[in-house]
Amino acid sequence: MSARGGRGHHAEESRPPRADDSRTARRPEQIPRVPPDVEAGARPYRWATVAPAREWRVTVPVPNSPRLAAEPAATDPQAFSESLLYSVSHDLRSPLLTMSLSTDLIEDALRASGTETGDTSVSVALDALRHGARDMERMLQGLALLSRAYNGAVEPARAPLRLVLAGHLVISDASDLNETLITVDPIVVRELLDVVASDGAAELHVRIEEGFALVEVAAPRQVEGGVTPLMALVSSLTYGAGTAVETLAVRQVLIERHGGRVCAEGGRLEIWLPLADSAGPAGDAS
Amino acid sequence: MMKPPPIMIVDDDVDHAVIARTVLAMLAPSAAVEVVTDVRRVEERLRAVEQGALILIDRVLDMVESFAVVASLTDERPDVRVVILSAAMSPEDARRGCEAGAMLAVQKPGGLAAWKVLLGDILRQVAESDRSGSAGGAVA
């Protein structure tokens, strides 16, 4: 009997991406990431928070050596960020568990010994410990979901746009939208729209643009102000973790890993869904 | 009431191991519980585990995933029941754990009450399987 398992932090399911499968290669270059007015400096404050995400897309030179090429450089910002995200989300929960369980055990022991905690400072301290632990648990859970969205396996998708649009009010000049094929998992997009529309029907403005189906929808209250759900979440875990912002952010990551993009513009979310070429990647079109 | 099975807790986080033992002492005071926190002794202790034992093992021991150890153990000792616990368990990891032969692979709960529920359920499940005469078997 021997332990032949891989290193805990680099399991198959959760390994950080290598340089050669960086998101740079999968992301559509033709999407205008920074609106012209922002590039001109009209609203630099808004995009300051977006800067880290843009920096992750820096292409890192890959050494010629196959062995070295298989390992991301320590300075690869994308690999670093995602490894750090994994470590923070998983490793910190262990000492947190110890603290929250110890709090419960102390209270149990006090009760068993007949010590009246009542409104004493002991009771206040135990409550504060418990609240703090609960908040940390919520935030770490949000980071764990993001980490899994970044590092989990992504199956190639190929599905008709109607699977995304069905049940919503669609406004479009484009013809034959229903049979238009996209390469994003439609369930992920629907889950995002469900949150946006609070499980009702959303008003979707749809057009075909530069190889993408662009779906525009009014941004939900939680991500108003031109910030994408992902940036809203990572800007304030206190505010976003465990809320609809977290659900939206995770779907945003999954959509972008399929080659799409979620942008925030004014009071709207723009969801860019890549169209399947007629000779595009094989996938399940059902 | 049936005698609880011998229990082995394998966890390189001493605090977690001690807390699990404390909770087990509340739920099954008569159970013989062995705690192994020294990863170098894990294989030796697992080889010597008693017939029909319940093993609570951490998913990652000293930075190495324990799925291979679990698979090997459940192959060699179909009489033992293994539960894989982890501070963070993704659905994918839970699936791998069950494929390795664990009866359950689950995230460690964040509160004492939830720990009691989880371990109580596991003990009940083991007792039922002992009553019906079957060992092991996936429940998750």
Side-chain angles (χ1 to χ4, degrees):
Chain A
M1 185 165 64
S2 63
R4 298 182 302 274
R7 306 287 288 178
H9 289 196
H10 297 281
E12 187 181 334
E13 180 259 339
S14 50
R15 73 167 177 83
R18 305 298 191 208
D20 58 349
D21 65 5
S22 72
R23 215 164 292 118
T24 309
R26 291 192 297 261
R27 290 186 174 181
E29 291 304 320
Q30 55 269 63
I31 292 177
R33 294 189 186 114
V34 182
D37 56 339
V38 174
E39 272 186 330
R43 287 175 297 172
Y45 62 91
R46 174 187 300 174
W47 287 87
T49 54
V50 181
R54 294 173 64 201
E55 285 167 12
W56 291 346
R57 290 181 214 117
V58 169
T59 302
V60 178
V62 177
N64 286 331
S65 155
R67 189 175 66 81
L68 289 180
E71 287 298 321
T75 50
D76 176 351
Q78 180 177 310
F80 173 78
S81 300
E82 293 178 7
S83 294
L84 184 64
L85 176 61
Y86 181 90
S87 297
V88 168
S89 62
H90 291 68
D91 294 356
L92 289 189
R93 191 165 183 268
S94 194
L96 171 64
L97 276 184
T98 305
M99 287 188 280
S100 55
L101 286 167
S102 301
T103 306
D104 288 349
L105 283 171
I106 290 169
E107 190 174 42
D108 241 34
L110 288 173
R111 199 177 297 127
S113 68
T115 305
E116 186 57 59
T117 56
D119 293 328
T120 63
S121 54
V122 174
S123 165
V124 171
L126 289 175
D127 275 351
L129 275 171
R130 199 172 293 113
H131 292 155
R134 200 176 302 142
D135 264 358
M136 279 188 68
E137 171 93 34
R138 177 175 61 86
M139 291 186 252
L140 287 177
Q141 179 65 15
L143 289 180
L145 290 173
L146 268 192
S147 173
R148 286 169 196 162
Y150 269 117
N151 296 315
V154 170
E155 297 295 323
R158 192 175 170 92
L161 194 53
R162 70 176 131 78
L163 294 183
V164 168
L165 304 178
H168 295 290
L169 175 62
V170 178
I171 299 169
S172 178
D173 291 334
S175 60
D176 204 21
L177 276 182
N178 279 341
E179 298 312 313
T180 299
L181 291 177
I182 56 169
T183 59
V184 175
D185 181 350
I187 294 173
V188 171
V189 187
R190 285 203 71 92
E191 287 169 343
L192 184 146
L193 291 174
D194 283 347
V195 174
V196 170
S198 303
D199 290 326
E203 185 178 296
L204 308 178
H205 294 257
V206 184
R207 60 179 191 272
I208 302 298
E209 197 170 307
E210 297 179 41
F212 290 81
L214 169 58
V215 179
E216 290 182 274
V217 64
R221 176 181 48 80
Q222 299 94 329
V223 290
E224 281 173 347
V227 176
T228 66
L230 180 58
M231 291 314 298
L233 177 63
V234 297
S235 299
S236 174
L237 287 172
T238 304
Y239 163 78
T243 71
V245 175
E246 175 187 283
T247 313
L248 291 170
V250 168
R251 271 53 182 190
Q252 177 181 349
V253 170
L254 293 173
I255 287 171
E256 298 198 354
R257 288 194 67 198
H258 274 102
R261 173 90 55 215
V262 177
C263 306
E265 183 54 47
R268 291 172 294 121
L269 281 184
E270 296 178 348
I271 307 162
W272 296 77
L273 306 172
L275 301 179
D277 306 332
S278 49
D284 182 7
S286 61
Chain B
M1 187 174 167
M2 286 186 71
K3 187 174 181 294
I7 300 171
M8 181 182 286
I9 299 168
V10 182
D11 200 325
D12 58 349
D13 186 316
V14 178
D15 292 326
H16 286 197
V18 169
I19 287 171
R21 187 177 61 183
T22 305
V23 177
L24 282 169
M26 296 172 185
L27 296 172
S30 63
V33 180
E34 178 180 358
V35 175
V36 181
T37 57
D38 181 352
V39 174
R40 290 167 302 181
R41 293 183 57 233
V42 168
E43 290 197 22
E44 164 210 331
R45 296 313 307 149
L46 286 176
R47 281 180 196 280
V49 75
E50 286 184 55
Q51 178 79 16
L54 167 65
I55 294 165
L56 306 176
I57 187 168
D58 196 22
R59 180 178 67 88
V60 179
L61 297 171
D62 198 17
M63 303 265 302
V64 177
E65 290 184 325
S66 52
F67 296 124
V69 171
V70 171
S72 180
L73 175 68
T74 51
D75 269 356
E76 291 176 22
R77 293 285 306 273
D79 58 292
V80 299
R81 280 61 64 94
V82 180
V83 172
I84 301 176
L85 297 167
S86 177
M89 181 82 78
S90 68
E92 175 67 13
D93 286 334
R95 185 184 60 75
R96 291 175 67 197
C98 291
E99 283 174 0
M103 62 182 276
L104 182 67
V106 67
Q107 185 160 295
K108 292 173 182 172
L112 187 58
W115 263 103
K116 287 179 180 172
V117 169
L118 173 66
L119 294 181
D121 282 348
I122 291 168
L123 290 172
R124 247 189 313 280
Q125 183 78 29
V126 169
E128 276 169 23
S129 97
D130 283 347
R131 256 197 304 274
S132 65
S134 67
V139 295

